[in-house]
Structure formats: C-alpha cells, structure tokens
Amino acid sequence: MSDALLSRAERLDADDQLAKIRERFALEAPSDQAAGDAGVYLDGNSLGALPHGVAARLQDVVEREWGRLRIRSWDESGWWTAPERVGDRIAPLIGAAPGQVVVGDSTSVNVFKALVGAVRMAPQDRDEVLVDAATFPTDGYIAASAARMTGRTVRPVRAVDMAAEIGPRTAVALVNHVDYRTGRLHDLPGTTAAAHAAGALVVWDLCHSAGALPVRLDADGVDLAVGCTYKYLNGGPGAPAYLYIRRELQPRFDSPLPGWNSHTDPFGMRPDYEPADGAPRGRVGTPEILSMLALEAALEAWDGVAIEEVRRKSLALSDFFLECVAALVPDGLVESITPAEHALRGSQVSLRCERAGEVMAALIERGVVGDYRRPDVLRFGFTPLYTRYVDALRAARTLADVLR
Amino acid sequence: MSDALLSRAERLDADDQLAKIRERFALEAPSDQAAGDAGVYLDGNSLGALPHGVAARLQDVVEREWGRLRIRSWDESGWWTAPERVGDRIAPLIGAAPGQVVVGDSTSVNVFKALVGAVRMAPQDRDEVLVDAATFPTDGYIAASAARMTGRTVRPVRAVDMAAEIGPRTAVALVNHVDYRTGRLHDLPGTTAAAHAAGALVVWDLCHSAGALPVRLDADGVDLAVGCTYKYLNGGPGAPAYLYIRRELQPRFDSPLPGWNSHTDPFGMRPDYEPADGAPRGRVGTPEILSMLALEAALEAWDGVAIEEVRRKSLALSDFFLECVAALVPDGLVESITPAEHALRGSQVSLRCERAGEVMAALIERGVVGDYRRPDVLRFGFTPLYTRYVDALRAARTLADVLR
C-alpha cells in the first residue's frame, strides 16, 4: 500500500509543472538535524521558507544602500517609493490592477485602517460592524476597537452566514477569506455582492489565501482588503502587511492613521494634513525598509508562476495528503475539519486528534513540521512552490507512526 | 585663521574620549565619490550611519534563523520576545528601568497609541489635547486623529509655552523634546511637572533627543514617550520605533490598537481581548523581525558608551562648528536658529540662509551631507559616536566656499 503511494507520489512529482520552482528556496536542514535530512516543512502557512536571493539582496541594502549611500538611498535606491512598488508586485497575485496596494505596517494595523476607513465611507446611520465569528483573533480585537472608536457595535457572525446576515444596519463586514483554523475557504464573490446589495462595505483578510489560490479583488468588486506577506508569499518573519483600497474608493478613504508618509507633500512639512491621492493614502509612518526590501526580493520567487497552477497543485497536494492519511492512519484517530470539497478548501489540512500538542511535538521531532492550534488541531500547510507529493506522503506516514 | 582652527580640531579629536567609537561604524565613501574621500556625514539626525556587525548579524538571521530553523526561531531564536528585549536595550539611553519600553511599529503609530492611551487615562471631563505648534508634522496629524476619535479637540501651543498653557481642560500634551527644525531642546522636567500639577498627562517625542543627550524618563516622571531608532540610535532605515509606558500606568493603558501580540495569552487564540501585563501591552501585530534584529545588532555600538559623554561632545562639536562658521563664513550670509545656550540646544545646528536648497545641494556635491528643510534651513546633525571635530571644521569651510 505504502509502496503504491510512494510510486504515485514520485510520479506526481515528476509531472509537477511547479517542481522546478522548489529550487528557488532554501530548504536545508537545521544544523541540529541529521545531515541530508531536511525533513518536511508544512508550516509555510505560518512562516514561508526562505527564497534564495534574499540574503544577497539584503546584504547589498545594508552595506551599500545604507552603509555607503546612507540618506541618499531614500531617493536613489528607491526606498521612499518601495511601499507602492512592492504593493504593485503583490497586486497580480490578488487580482488587483496597479495603484491600489500599499505595503507597510502589520496586518493588525491595516485591519484598523481598513475598518475605520470603511465605516467612514458607509452610510452614517449604520451602526454595526460584522465580524467573522471564527476569525483569527487579532481581527476581532481590532474590529472591537475600530467599532468603539467610531461609535459602532461589533456583531460576530459565522463567515458562512455572513452574506445572509449583512443588513440595513451593517456598515462593514470583516471576513477571513480562508479560516486559519479549519482551512475552510469562504465565498468572497457572493459575500461581497451581498454586502453591496445591502449598501454595506466588506473588508477581506487574505492572510491565508493570497499566494495559495487565485484572489480576484478587482473582478469581484472588493472594497478593501488586507493580508500578511510572511505565509504563502514567503516575505520573511513579520514581513510587512499590505492594504488594498479599491481605486474608486481611494478619494474617500479617510485614514485613522494619517501619518506624514500619506501626506500629499510629505517634505513640505505642512501643519495641516492633506492626504495623498492613490495607494500612498494608506501609508502611515516611515516604513521598515530592511523588512520591506527583503520581501521585495522574496517576491522574485513568483516570477513566471501562474496562480492558477498553484491552486491546482495545492488541491492535488492536499487531496493526496488526505488520501495518504486515510490509507495509513488507523481509523478514528484523526478527523479532518477541512472541507473535502475543493470549492471550500484553502491550502491547508487541519486534523483534529487527541493530545494534538504532543502529537505535533513528536512529528516535529521526526522532521515533519506543521503546527498545533489549541485545543486539538494539527495544521499542515501545503505551499505549492516548494512542497512535493513525497513530502505529503512522508507527513502522513510519520503521523501514522506517531499515532500507532 | 583656518590653520589655527585645524590645529584646534586635531587637538580636540586627539583628546576625544569617544574617538575610538567611530571605528564601530562603516563610514566609507559611496562608490561614485573619489576614493579615499568619505566626505562628512552630518545627517545622522535623519539616518544614522551603519554600525559594523549589522550585516553579519542579519545574514545569520536570514540564512540560519529564517532559512534553516524557520518557524522554530519564534521561540528558539528569541524572535517572539525581541520587542521587549530590544526595548530594554534602549531603556538605559532614555533613563528607563527595564520593563517599560517596547519596540515595534512606526513613530506615527506609537504616537497614536500613546495619545489615545493617555486621553483614556486622563480625567474624562478634559476635552483638549495640546500639541507642540512647531511639531514634526506627523505628530500633529496623528494627534488630530486621536482627538477626533476620542471626542477631544487639538490646540496647538508653542512648546516653550506648554507648561503655562496646560490647564484644567487639558487631557494630554504632546511635546517634541528637541525641535526637528531648529534643534531647540525643550524643558522636559518642567513641562512634565506642570502637566502633573494640572492633572494632565504628557507624551514626549524623543526622536531628536534619544541617543544625543541624557533623557531621564523615570526620574522626571514622564507618563508616556515615543521615539524612532534610525537617527542617533543608528538602527537602520525605517527601523522600528519604541513606546515607553511608565510602569505605574501600564495596568491602565488601554490601547486603541489591541492586536494579538499584546494579548495576555496570544496563542490561546481567544475571542475576547485581555491585555498582557507590562511592556507587551504596547505591542500590536507581528513585528518586522529583520528590521528589529538589525536594530538590536546596531545598538551594540553603544556598549560602554556613557550618554553624558555623548552630550558633552555633542555640545563641544556644535560649539566648535558655530565658531568655525563665525570665523569662516562672511557676515550676514547665515543665521543660526539653534539656541546658543547649551541648556536649550539639542545635537544639531540649523542655519537659515538664502537659497538654502541650492546651497545644500552644493555642499552634498562637495561631500558634506546635511539636509535641507523648506523654505530656508540647512540642518547639520552632530552624532558624537562618529563625528569628529575635523568634520565640523570641514563642513564650515565647505559652507564658506559654497557661499562665497
């Protein structure tokens, strides 16, 4: 059985259109692991692997741009315009035309900008902010603050019910495109259309979808979106997040964080705030350039990669992993909480099992790195740019070994 | 005359207690400048020079911590606790005991946290936020937003009048310790005491003082403070800012940006927000680790450096520069807008002159890098860790050449 699965995995890898992209990443083992065994990294949905080229680029940024050119680099090395330039590099991955995505600050800070901005653009008699009830927590905490500071109330609603729950009192709905815990993919076009039909705005959190599957912000008429860049986009630890503001809404975007970087004339040092046009309106203060330019270098791993092919492989990988788990893990020990249906699945598989924390520790000990979410969930992220079918098989086989 | 000044400069450099600290910095010329002439960098009050050691540290962070350990580094490489650890490294430079400074986000974002937090701690009948009328603009823009979102109004007041203007309606005053334009040092102890006597809080912006002169936040009873790390602290372009929250106020600090990183149990992924105790309460989202750890490495340049000695040299350097300017530049061509009195001077000298933009361009052309602030100000920053007296002389001499 296992031999048949191995043959299948090897054949799938041999036929994989994206197989060569794996060479763009550093996937060596930690120095405390057995030489030659780099293990299996299935936590790219939390921190993406390192793309080759980042280290050399960062060295140049530090030694030449900062160390020698110093202040001149703000202009001459393109530091000042990096937030928009890197935003435009991300834009095609999320279905956005240029000029609508700006990079900087954390996801949490961008959720605050987006929600307050949305409330201010919504009809002013609308008193509620709907939040995905199973949201990654920071979105909920920030939504509560945004509502408190704009005199609205937050109402948690299941993401699957969001379209039905958006009503005449709704100013804005904040929804995760993919649930971080279950890996469930939510209905972006349908929920967006429902929000608009009800006269509300919608903010999408793309943290667990961008870079894993096609997102069509422009085509689907999304108002605002935020996302991180350190998961499927491989931008590095804590790499800056991004904010998408639909072009038509930009002139009305009234930021709660109107820093000098979003001023129409930042070096005019004018006492009154006058916001810039376009994507820069989403900026705040001076961006963290080293992290920003590491992200820019990391995004080169996407050169020539079609997101549709990423999606195809992502589903095939997670299908194959589920098949291996079903074949190798004794019945009843794990239960997938990730939808089997492709249209409802992101790019991770979440398995519920007893003593999940200990199980994940044992997996990591054996070189299979996923993560654990309390109280009982094992998460395995499938990052099609560098995950192979043999990796999925090994993960399932190791899981079976640990559980037996 | 000039020969006498040169002898003086050389003697001052020979006697300089901090002279050897200069070796900790990369001060080579840009590759487009004449070999052997690294010029004079007097813009460290905008972007500090590169400390040696940052490049190697960052290479290790990228290649080993991110590239090999990947997700494990959040624990094993100390990424998760970096905001507090780096904060505690900055703390002695600003007179703060450990546990009160947290690093992350931009200065602008931290001004927002500090001001909203302060308004929420002030007596609730107080309806005004005072802002230094000559403030660096972002503080003013963000103060306006903080006031708008908390139902207060902003009143601009000259920093020198702040102590007298703080009154029974004042919730909080936001003051720049050193004026970015004139280099004037404001009265931190006196203004803080006046605020407290009036029942108000005070937020200090230390961007242009931290690392240039002694700051005594604890001793002077400051409530909250923010500052950047890319000027006198040499943390790198856009290096993350810091937030000081006085220990006694931490339990009452109610952040407008309650992200998951400031939760008491961040990995509990709990739907309700419960803030962490202590400095982590000032965190928001995932910090930009590459920029954060570059800053940490950069701070090693401060090992064994006494801030009192930095201050002594800073004043001596700017005194000497002003003396050279007086001796070399024909009368009436420039006017210093930086106070001559030591107690009122930060670590820069600002000279007003005609066609200042063109003059600065000509200075930079000749290897003397300061900066220009519209409409008519030349700024020269004196960073005692790596600026020499001969540099001050050369800057004055070049200025005289350009103006003649």
Side-chain angles (χ1 to χ4, degrees):
Chain A
M1 178 52 156
S2 192
D3 283 350
L5 288 170
L6 182 58
S7 308
R8 283 265 311 287
E10 288 172 346
R11 203 167 53 244
L12 286 162
D13 281 324
D15 292 344
D16 177 12
Q17 305 279 308
L18 296 174
K20 286 192 73 71
I21 306 296
R22 179 175 163 91
E23 294 165 10
R24 299 181 182 180
F25 291 86
L27 294 163
E28 295 80 12
S31 50
D32 59 356
Q33 272 175 220
D37 181 13
V40 172
Y41 188 65
L42 299 179
D43 211 6
N45 54 324
S46 190
L47 175 66
L50 167 67
H52 292 307
V54 171
R57 172 70 183 120
L58 213 47
Q59 185 175 7
D60 185 57
V61 171
V62 170
E63 296 189 347
R64 186 179 57 84
E65 295 185 3
W66 174 14
R68 287 178 176 255
L69 294 175
R70 291 183 282 268
I71 197 72
R72 289 169 49 183
S73 277
W74 280 107
D75 287 326
E76 293 178 31
S77 303
W79 292 353
W80 184 265
T81 51
E84 293 80 46
R85 187 177 68 245
V86 184
D88 280 344
R89 182 67 190 82
I90 292 169
L93 294 171
I94 54 176
Q100 302 174 105
V101 180
V102 69
V103 174
D105 304 309
S106 65
T107 304
S108 300
V109 168
N110 281 297
V111 169
F112 187 74
K113 294 180 212 169
L115 279 182
V116 173
V119 165
R120 289 174 174 172
M121 287 190 272
Q124 289 305 295
D125 58 343
R126 304 210 164 202
D127 68 345
E128 71 178 17
V129 173
L130 301 190
V131 179
D132 181 348
T135 185
F136 184 79
T138 212
D139 300 59
Y141 308 154
I142 294 287
S145 177
R148 170 185 177 187
M149 298 191 78
T150 55
R152 269 68 177 179
T153 55
V154 163
R155 184 159 65 91
V157 166
R158 294 196 317 162
V160 294
D161 300 329
M162 192 63 81
E165 292 284 344
I166 295 171
R169 292 178 54 182
T170 310
V172 54
L174 171 65
V175 200
N176 293 264
H177 195 193
V178 170
D179 185 289
Y180 80 99
R181 213 166 151 277
T182 64
R184 180 175 184 140
L185 174 63
H186 295 124
D187 178 11
L188 186 145
T191 307
T192 302
H196 292 172
L201 287 89
V202 64
V203 176
W204 285 95
D205 180 333
L206 307 177
C207 284
H208 291 83
S209 62
L213 51 90
V215 181
R216 300 183 183 92
L217 295 180
D218 286 353
D220 290 330
V222 167
D223 302 301
L224 299 119
V226 302
C228 78
T229 61
Y230 46 76
K231 300 180 188 290
Y232 297 97
L233 298 180
N234 313 300
Y242 56 87
L243 172 65
Y244 164 91
I245 310 172
R246 189 174 181 74
R247 189 179 299 284
E248 301 93 279
L249 299 181
Q250 287 172 348
R252 293 169 54 213
F253 180 73
D254 179 8
S255 177
L257 295 170
W260 74 295
N261 271 233
S262 64
H263 198 283
T264 189
D265 181 18
F267 292 93
M269 304 281 159
R270 287 151 49 178
D272 293 316
Y273 181 70
E274 187 184 329
D277 289 332
R281 189 174 289 211
R283 292 174 68 163
V284 186
T286 306
E288 299 185 33
I289 289 297
L290 303 183
S291 287
M292 175 84 69
L293 299 185
L295 165 62
E296 184 172 35
L299 289 168
E300 291 179 14
W302 289 93
D303 284 354
V305 173
I307 193 70
E308 293 73 18
E309 182 59 24
V310 169
R311 174 61 168 167
R312 207 199 52 70
K313 181 176 172 188
S314 157
L315 291 170
L317 269 173
S318 48
D319 276 345
F320 183 66
F321 175 69
L322 286 165
E323 183 186 335
C324 294
V325 168
L328 301 172
V329 174
D331 276 357
L333 294 185
V334 298
E335 174 201 9
S336 173
I337 58 171
T338 301
E341 196 181 327
H342 284 179
L344 302 181
R345 194 193 307 163
S347 197
Q348 75 185 53
V349 171
S350 297
L351 301 178
R352 185 178 282 151
C353 82
E354 281 183 31
R355 298 161 67 185
E358 289 166 63
V359 171
M360 183 50 72
L363 285 170
I364 291 170
E365 182 73 22
R366 288 163 175 76
V368 174
V369 178
D371 65 18
Y372 159 58
R373 285 292 174 259
R374 297 183 212 166
D376 58 0
V377 172
L378 306 172
R379 293 198 315 177
F380 300 94
F382 293 92
T383 48
L385 298 192
Y386 53 83
T387 303
R388 299 167 302 192
Y389 294 89
V390 293
D391 297 329
L393 171 59
R394 176 169 165 185
R397 188 180 281 159
T398 309
L399 178 63
D401 289 347
V402 165
L403 289 174
R404 261 195 301 251
Chain B
M1 177 52 153
S2 192
D3 284 350
L5 287 171
L6 183 58
S7 309
R8 282 267 310 291
E10 288 172 344
R11 202 166 54 246
L12 287 162
D13 282 322
D15 293 343
D16 177 11
Q17 305 280 311
L18 295 175
K20 286 192 73 69
I21 305 296
R22 179 175 162 91
E23 295 166 9
R24 299 181 181 180
F25 291 86
L27 294 162
E28 296 79 13
S31 51
D32 59 354
Q33 271 176 221
D37 180 13
V40 172
Y41 188 66
L42 299 180
D43 210 6
N45 54 325
S46 191
L47 176 66
L50 168 67
H52 292 307
V54 171
R57 172 69 183 122
L58 213 47
Q59 184 174 6
D60 185 56
V61 170
V62 170
E63 295 189 347
R64 186 179 58 83
E65 295 186 2
W66 172 15
R68 289 177 173 254
L69 294 175
R70 291 182 283 269
I71 197 71
R72 290 168 49 182
S73 277
W74 280 107
D75 287 327
E76 293 178 30
S77 304
W79 290 354
W80 184 264
T81 51
E84 292 81 46
R85 185 177 69 245
V86 184
D88 280 345
R89 183 68 191 80
I90 292 169
L93 294 171
I94 54 177
Q100 302 175 103
V101 180
V102 69
V103 174
D105 304 308
S106 65
T107 304
S108 300
V109 168
N110 281 296
V111 169
F112 187 74
K113 294 180 212 170
L115 279 181
V116 173
V119 165
R120 289 175 174 171
M121 288 190 273
Q124 289 305 295
D125 59 342
R126 303 207 165 204
D127 68 344
E128 70 178 18
V129 173
L130 301 190
V131 179
D132 179 348
T135 186
F136 184 80
T138 211
D139 300 57
Y141 308 155
I142 293 287
S145 177
R148 169 185 177 187
M149 298 190 79
T150 55
R152 269 69 177 179
T153 53
V154 163
R155 184 159 65 91
V157 166
R158 295 198 317 162
V160 294
D161 300 329
M162 193 64 80
E165 291 284 344
I166 294 171
R169 291 178 55 183
T170 309
V172 53
L174 171 65
V175 201
N176 293 265
H177 195 192
V178 170
D179 185 288
Y180 79 99
R181 210 164 152 278
T182 64
R184 179 174 185 142
L185 174 64
H186 295 125
D187 177 10
L188 186 145
T191 307
T192 302
H196 292 171
L201 287 90
V202 64
V203 176
W204 285 94
D205 181 332
L206 308 176
C207 284
H208 290 84
S209 62
L213 51 89
V215 181
R216 299 182 184 92
L217 296 181
D218 286 353
D220 290 329
V222 167
D223 301 302
L224 299 118
V226 302
C228 79
T229 61
Y230 46 76
K231 300 180 188 290
Y232 297 98
L233 298 180
N234 313 300
Y242 57 87
L243 172 66
Y244 164 90
I245 310 172
R246 189 174 181 74
R247 189 179 298 285
E248 301 93 282
L249 298 181
Q250 287 172 348
R252 292 169 54 212
F253 179 72
D254 179 6
S255 176
L257 295 170
W260 74 294
N261 270 234
S262 64
H263 198 282
T264 188
D265 181 17
F267 291 94
M269 304 279 157
R270 287 152 48 180
D272 293 316
Y273 181 70
E274 188 184 329
D277 290 332
R281 190 173 287 211
R283 292 173 67 164
V284 186
T286 306
E288 300 186 33
I289 291 297
L290 303 184
S291 287
M292 174 84 69
L293 299 184
L295 164 62
E296 185 173 33
L299 289 168
E300 291 180 13
W302 288 93
D303 285 354
V305 173
I307 193 71
E308 292 73 18
E309 183 58 25
V310 169
R311 174 62 168 166
R312 207 198 53 69
K313 182 176 171 189
S314 156
L315 291 169
L317 270 173
S318 48
D319 276 345
F320 183 66
F321 175 70
L322 286 165
E323 183 186 334
C324 294
V325 168
L328 302 172
V329 175
D331 276 356
L333 294 186
V334 298
E335 173 203 9
S336 173
I337 59 171
T338 301
E341 196 181 326
H342 284 179
L344 302 181
R345 193 194 306 163
S347 197
Q348 75 185 53
V349 171
S350 297
L351 301 178
R352 183 176 283 150
C353 84
E354 281 182 30
R355 297 161 67 184
E358 288 166 65
V359 171
M360 183 51 70
L363 285 169
I364 291 170
E365 182 74 22
R366 288 162 175 77
V368 174
V369 178
D371 65 18
Y372 159 59
R373 286 291 175 259
R374 297 184 212 165
D376 58 0
V377 172
L378 305 173
R379 294 198 315 177
F380 301 94
F382 293 93
T383 48
L385 299 192
Y386 53 84
T387 303
R388 298 167 302 193
Y389 295 88
V390 291
D391 297 328
L393 172 58
R394 176 168 164 186
R397 188 180 282 159
T398 309
L399 178 63
D401 288 348
V402 165
L403 289 174
R404 262 195 303 251

